[in-house]
Amino acid sequence: MDFRQLRYFAQIVESGSLSKASRTLFVAQPALSQQLAKLEDEVGKPLLQRSTRGVTPTESGLALYHHARFMLRQLEQAMSIARQETGGVRGMVSIGLPATTLSALGLPLVRNIRTKYPGILLNVVEGMSGHLSYMMRLGQLDLAILFTSDVASDLTAKPLLDEELFVLLPASSKLVSRRRTNVTIAEAAALPLILPTGTHGLRRRIAAEFEERNLTARVVAEIDSLSLLMSCVHEGMGATIKPISALQMEGARGRTWRALSVSDARLRRRNYIYSISSDRLSPAASVVAAELRDTAEQLVTSGEWKGVWLVG
Amino acid sequence: MDFRQLRYFAQIVESGSLSKASRTLFVAQPALSQQLAKLEDEVGKPLLQRSTRGVTPTESGLALYHHARFMLRQLEQAMSIARQETGGVRGMVSIGLPATTLSALGLPLVRNIRTKYPGILLNVVEGMSGHLSYMMRLGQLDLAILFTSDVASDLTAKPLLDEELFVLLPASSKLVSRRRTNVTIAEAAALPLILPTGTHGLRRRIAAEFEERNLTARVVAEIDSLSLLMSCVHEGMGATIKPISALQMEGARGRTWRALSVSDARLRRRNYIYSISSDRLSPAASVVAAELRDTAEQLVTSGEWKGVWLVG
DNA sequence: GCCCGCTATAAGCTCAGCCTATAGCTCTCC
DNA sequence: GGAGAGCTATAGGCTGAGCTTATAGCGGGC
C-alpha cells in the first residue's frame, strides 16, 4: 500500500469511474486498473463494485477511502511540519476555547505560542461556552472565545468572526445526492443524525428549529465528545450539524467531508474574543490575544477554517 | 514523499545511523542515503545532522519523524480498516467514559456497536469521573467506566482493569535518556510538564505525590483538553503524566511515545464497569456492557491498550 | 445492430530504486 | 603517526515496477 495507490483509489471513488479518475489524474486508465488490482490483492477483499457504468465502493472500500483521505491529508501536512520555524515574552496566560473552536485553532495556536514565545506558559481550557463564560467572570481565564457580546463591565468582547452551522457528512455519503450543496431543514431532519445530548446549546438550537417546523431529529447516536462524534460521522455512521470547524479537529481534517448549508433556516453564530480590559492585560496575555486573532485570521483567509467570516 | 522514504527516515532517526538502519531494514546503506537525500531535497531543509559517528535529527527532522511515525501507524491501520466485518438488538443505551478511557476504546466500541447492532442508539458522554458518577446516580447513564467501587445500592461496579500512570513523552525526546524505562518522581518533577489544571483529579494526585516529597511540577502548559494536550506533547513541547490510554487517542496513537513508569511512586487506578443492577438492564444495555468488556479485553490482550491489566 | 463508455489484460518501454564498489572523513587504539 | 573501523556520499549498473498503447469484452442506450 502506497500513497500513489491511495491517491488513485481516493480519486477513483470520488470520480465513480476509473476512466474519469484517469482523466483527472492524467494517468492511463489501465494503470489505475493495475494499481487498484494490486491494492485489492494486498487487502484481500474487493474494494469496488465494478460495472460497465463505473464503480462504487464496497463497504470495505468506503472504509478504506475515508482512511486514505485522512492519510493523504497527513502527507500534505508532513511538508509544512518538516519546514519549521522558531522568539521572548514571558508569563502565564489562560484561555478558554469551546470544542469546535479548539478544533480549528487549538493546535496551531499552541504551536505558534510555544515556538514564538517559549517563555509563555499557556493554559488552554476546553469547555462548553456557558462554563467558559462563568470562568471568565470569575477571572479564572485571561482570554476566551465565546458566542455572545453580553459582557460584564470589566471584560471586553471584540468580534472575531461569524460561523455558519452545516449538515456535515462524509464526502461519499449517499445520504444526500452528490450534486446538492444545501438541504432544507426537513431534509436534515430525515437524515440519521449523530448529535450531542439535549443539554448542549447546539443541540437545543437544532431541536428548537426542528420543533418550530413540527420536525424531530432522527438521532442514531448521542455523543458528548467532539472527537468521538466526528470519528463516528467520518466512519459513515450518520450525519451531524455543526460549524465546519468541527471538521478541523484531528482525525476529521481534509476533504472527506461535505458541509451542506440549511437553506431555509440560516443557522449561524458570532465568535468574540473575550478578555479582561486591555489596560489590565499582562504583556503575555496581549501577545496571546494578538496571536489568537492572527492565527484565526490566517486560518480563515487561507480557507483552512471554512464556513466563517472575519468581522471587526 | 512516500511511505518507503518515511519508513527509512524513521528507522534512521531511531537507529542514529544510516548504516545501522540499513542493517535493520535489510537495505544497502547507499540506498538509504539516496532516499534520504531525495526526501531532504523535497522538503528543502536538512532533516539530519550528519557526522562520521552517525546522524541526529534536526528540529525539522524531529518534527517530521513524529509525523512520519503517526502516518506509518495510520498505514498499518489502513489494512484492518479495509477488512471490515459486520448483526439485531434494539434500543437506546447511554454510557459515560472519562477522556483517557474514551481514547482507548471509544471509537472501537462505537464502531463495534454500530456494525454489530445497528438497532442500538448509543449515547456516549465524555466527562470527568466525578461528573459521570453523579450522572450515574441520577440514572442519566446506563453504563459508565469509573475509578472507585464505592457505589450506591442500586448500582453495580464490576472490576474491569487496573491502569498505571506513566511519564509520557515522544520516543525521540532527549528529556530522558533513551535507555531509561523508568524515572524517579524527582526526575519527573524536573521535566517540563504539560498537565491539566489543578481541578483535575489526575493533577491533584500528581501534585500530592510531588508535595509529599517537597517537589513542585515544572509546568510549561496547562491544557484541559486531552486531544490538545497530547498533540502538544507529541510535538515535543514537554512531557505529561497519564495512563498509557492517553496515547491511544486519535493523533497520538503509535510507537512515537515512551511511557516511563515512576519507580518510587507507583501510581495506578482501577477501572470499574458501572451499571444499574443487571436485572433492570435493558437487553440493549446488556449487549453494550458485554461489548464494552469484550472490546476492552481485546484491546488489552492485543497490547493495543497498554499499561493496564485485566481483573475480575 | 451500432456506438459509446466502461473495465481488464497483454506487451513493451523507461527509469526509480536497489545493488556493489569505492572515496573521503573522523575517531580510536597501538 | 599510522592502521583499522565505522561512518556518509557518490558512481555506475541491473532489475522490475509503473507507466504507456493496443485491444478484448461487456452492458446500456438509441
Side-chain angles (χ1 to χ4, degrees), chain A residues 93-306:
Chain A
V93 180
S94 56
I95 175 170
L97 299 174
T100 50
T101 310
L102 184 142
S103 298
L105 56 70
L107 187 59
L109 178 68
V110 175
R111 186 189 293 135
N112 287 349
I113 298 293
R114 287 297 301 155
T115 59
K116 288 179 184 175
Y117 313 99
I120 292 183
L121 190 154
L122 195 62
N123 167 209
V124 181
V125 181
E126 176 181 352
M128 290 170 61
S129 52
H131 185 58
L132 295 178
S133 179
Y134 175 72
M135 291 178 75
M136 199 71 212
R137 288 199 295 275
L138 288 184
Q140 289 176 347
L141 297 172
D142 295 305
L143 300 162
I145 289 191
L146 294 170
F147 306 119
T148 173
S149 61
D150 182 19
V151 298
S153 62
D154 59 336
L155 299 178
T156 64
K158 288 170 179 165
L160 176 63
L161 50 79
D162 286 336
E163 58 183 358
E164 185 173 348
L165 304 182
F166 291 81
V167 171
L168 304 178
L169 30 64
S172 287
S173 173
K174 294 179 167 56
L175 295 170
V176 179
S177 167
R178 305 282 189 81
R179 280 178 231 275
R180 302 288 302 275
T181 56
N182 58 48
V183 291
T184 64
I185 195 163
E187 287 169 325
L191 294 170
L193 292 173
I194 302 176
L195 297 174
T197 46
T199 51
H200 274 257
L202 243 174
R203 174 68 184 275
R204 284 180 175 147
R205 180 75 186 274
I206 293 162
E209 293 284 347
F210 280 4
E211 278 164 27
E212 207 175 292
R213 292 164 176 79
N214 276 329
L215 300 166
T216 54
R218 188 177 148 218
V219 180
V220 298
E222 284 177 335
I223 301 185
D224 294 323
S225 160
L226 180 64
S227 65
L228 183 56
L229 189 155
M230 297 313 298
S231 296
C232 295
V233 173
H234 184 260
E235 288 213 351
M237 298 172 189
T240 193
I241 301 177
K242 282 196 176 286
I244 294 191
S245 54
L247 300 182
Q248 270 154 318
M249 57 166 297
E250 188 126 352
R253 287 173 183 237
R255 275 159 273 132
T256 60
W257 301 94
R258 287 163 67 204
L260 311 176
S261 57
V262 182
S263 55
D264 55 344
R266 287 296 200 69
L267 303 174
R268 56 181 64 184
R269 68 184 179 189
R270 177 160 290 190
N271 288 231
Y272 298 86
I273 296 183
Y274 269 55
S275 68
I276 56 181
S277 297
S278 59
D279 61 311
R280 288 170 44 233
L281 264 182
S282 68
S286 296
V287 157
V288 172
E291 196 62 43
L292 174 62
R293 185 173 287 277
D294 283 350
T295 304
E297 286 175 2
Q298 278 162 21
L299 292 168
V300 174
T301 303
S302 73
E304 199 169 333
W305 191 353
K306 295 177 176 62

Side-chain angles (χ1 to χ4, degrees), chain B residues 97-172:
Chain B
L97 299 174
T100 51
T101 310
L102 183 142
S103 298
L105 58 70
L107 187 59
L109 178 67
V110 174
R111 186 189 293 135
N112 288 348
I113 298 294
R114 288 295 301 153
T115 59
K116 289 179 181 175
Y117 313 99
I120 291 183
L121 189 154
L122 194 63
N123 168 209
V124 181
V125 181
E126 176 181 351
M128 290 170 63
S129 52
H131 185 57
L132 295 178
S133 179
Y134 176 72
M135 291 178 75
M136 199 72 211
R137 287 199 295 273
L138 289 185
Q140 289 177 347
L141 297 172
D142 296 304
L143 300 162
I145 289 191
L146 293 170
F147 306 120
T148 171
S149 60
D150 183 17
V151 298
S153 61
D154 60 337
L155 299 177
T156 65
K158 289 170 178 165
L160 177 63
L161 49 81
D162 286 336
E163 57 185 359
E164 185 172 348
L165 304 182
F166 291 81
V167 171
L168 304 179
L169 30 65
S172 286

Side-chain angles (χ1 to χ4, degrees), chain B residues 197-263:
Chain B
T197 45
T199 52
H200 274 258
L202 242 175
R203 174 70 185 272
R204 283 179 175 148
R205 182 72 185 275
I206 294 163
E209 292 284 348
F210 280 4
E211 278 164 27
E212 208 174 292
R213 294 162 175 77
N214 277 328
L215 300 166
T216 55
R218 187 176 148 217
V219 180
V220 297
E222 284 177 334
I223 301 185
D224 295 321
S225 160
L226 180 64
S227 65
L228 183 57
L229 190 155
M230 296 314 297
S231 296
C232 295
V233 173
H234 185 258
E235 290 213 349
M237 298 172 190
T240 193
I241 301 176
K242 282 195 174 286
I244 295 190
S245 54
L247 301 181
Q248 269 154 317
M249 59 166 297
E250 189 125 353
R253 288 177 181 233
R255 274 162 273 132
T256 59
W257 301 94
R258 286 162 68 203
L260 312 176
S261 58
V262 182
S263 55

